[in-house]
Amino acid sequence: MSSALGGVMDRELVDCTGRRRSPAAMPGHYAGHSPPNKGRRYPADPPTVEEIVRVMRAAGPGAIGDRLRAMIVVLWRSGLRISEALALAESDLDPGRGAVLVRRGKGGKRREVGMDAWGWQQLEPWLRVREQLPVGALFCIVSGATRGRPWSPQGVRLQLRTIAVRAGVRRRFAPHQLRHAHAVEMAHEGVPLVVIQRQLGHVNLGITSIYLQGIDNAEIIDTVHHRPPPVIPASAGLATWTRPTGEPAAPGRNSAKIRDLY
């Protein structure tokens, strides 16, 4: 009996290719353990355009580099969540309309988002590579026995961190940071807040405003400081008002303060 049980356990510890599975890949391995980043909040500190392009260049040639550049483009130029990007299929892309279909976003909601022409150009090399791989998710494993299977979120984050270090980017470079960068750049371009909200798939504008906290304080101060003055003089047509002798003040009205304003 024990030998039969041992044989079953041995089979569970081996994957479909015959390789021994890591204990971390076994069901229930992390049961009862909190994730190391539980409760940790990261500031809205999106990378700059120059930093993102440096990482894209550092990805290098070949299918792996094309895949990483395509992932960066989808996260950055369309503002998708990492889970939404990894759930995409080739049929969800509509280059003619410039649209990307999110079949099941946060909360199970379906939406279409836009992506600019430059983004579609950067995506094209990976689409050509993807045509040579088995049918499946848009972003998939490119080699080995699991070729064609979906790429994992952990794999995306690890490769982004590794290439960012290689590119000399001295800040956190994560998938969600690229989504923040998308929101901040659209705000800079004057895109209405409600359009940014719909693009990101947020329930309300309050969540969208949090994404725009990545705007630098110096930029806010400079923008407000250089606002044009009103075109109408503040004193035009205004006369000093005084209450006639003996007339009582209106209830709740501070006449002295009103006179001071003029």
Side-chain angles (χ1 to χ4, degrees), residues 11-252:
R11 286 196 297 272
E12 289 180 350
L13 291 173
V14 175
D15 63 17
C16 61
T17 65
R19 297 177 181 175
R20 192 168 185 82
R21 297 175 64 184
S22 167
M26 299 297 293
H29 179 76
Y30 292 105
H33 296 276
S34 298
N37 61 348
K38 182 179 180 180
R40 188 173 181 181
R41 294 184 177 274
Y42 294 98
D45 184 28
T48 65
V49 173
E50 292 76 13
E51 289 173 332
I52 298 173
V53 172
R54 274 162 53 192
V55 174
M56 293 178 68
R57 290 174 176 172
I64 292 178
D66 290 338
R67 182 185 60 179
L68 183 63
R69 276 186 290 273
M71 174 59 75
I72 291 174
V73 161
V74 168
L75 297 173
W76 174 32
R77 307 306 293 181
S78 65
L80 296 190
R81 301 176 177 91
I82 182 62
S83 59
E84 295 170 344
L86 290 173
L88 291 175
E90 294 174 78
S91 57
D92 295 331
L93 305 180
D94 188 350
R97 296 175 52 235
V100 179
L101 174 62
V102 179
R103 296 183 182 274
R104 190 176 178 84
K106 193 170 184 179
K109 295 183 179 180
R110 179 187 179 106
R111 76 181 191 280
E112 267 193 317
V113 302
M115 190 164 72
D116 61 285
W118 183 87
W120 288 105
Q121 292 173 4
Q122 306 306 310
L123 186 60
E124 186 62 33
W126 167 245
L127 295 180
R128 290 196 295 268
V129 172
R130 188 65 186 84
E131 291 175 354
Q132 311 303 318
L133 298 170
V135 175
L138 174 63
F139 294 103
C140 65
I141 306 299
V142 298
S143 62
T146 56
R147 183 171 177 262
R149 294 189 182 182
W151 199 10
S152 69
Q154 295 81 6
V156 177
R157 292 188 176 95
L158 176 60
Q159 193 172 357
L160 282 175
R161 286 197 301 268
T162 302
I163 302 301
V165 171
R166 184 187 304 171
V169 175
R170 302 288 296 172
R171 76 165 81 218
R172 183 171 177 263
F173 200 92
H176 216 68
Q177 299 298 94
L178 296 171
R179 180 169 156 88
H180 277 274
H182 177 73
V184 170
E185 288 171 21
M186 287 209 299
H188 286 164
E189 294 162 10
V191 178
L193 190 59
V194 68
V195 174
I196 302 176
Q197 175 197 1
R198 295 284 296 275
Q199 174 82 359
L200 298 177
H202 288 156
V203 176
N204 56 61
L205 289 173
I207 300 174
T208 307
S209 65
I210 295 175
Y211 276 61
L212 303 183
Q213 291 176 358
I215 297 177
D216 184 51
N217 287 338
E219 180 182 349
I220 297 173
I221 295 170
D222 185 67
T223 300
V224 176
H225 179 70
H226 291 92
R227 290 180 65 204
V231 295
I232 302 175
S235 59
L238 299 179
T240 303
W241 177 83
T242 56
R243 187 174 66 252
T245 305
E247 180 181 336

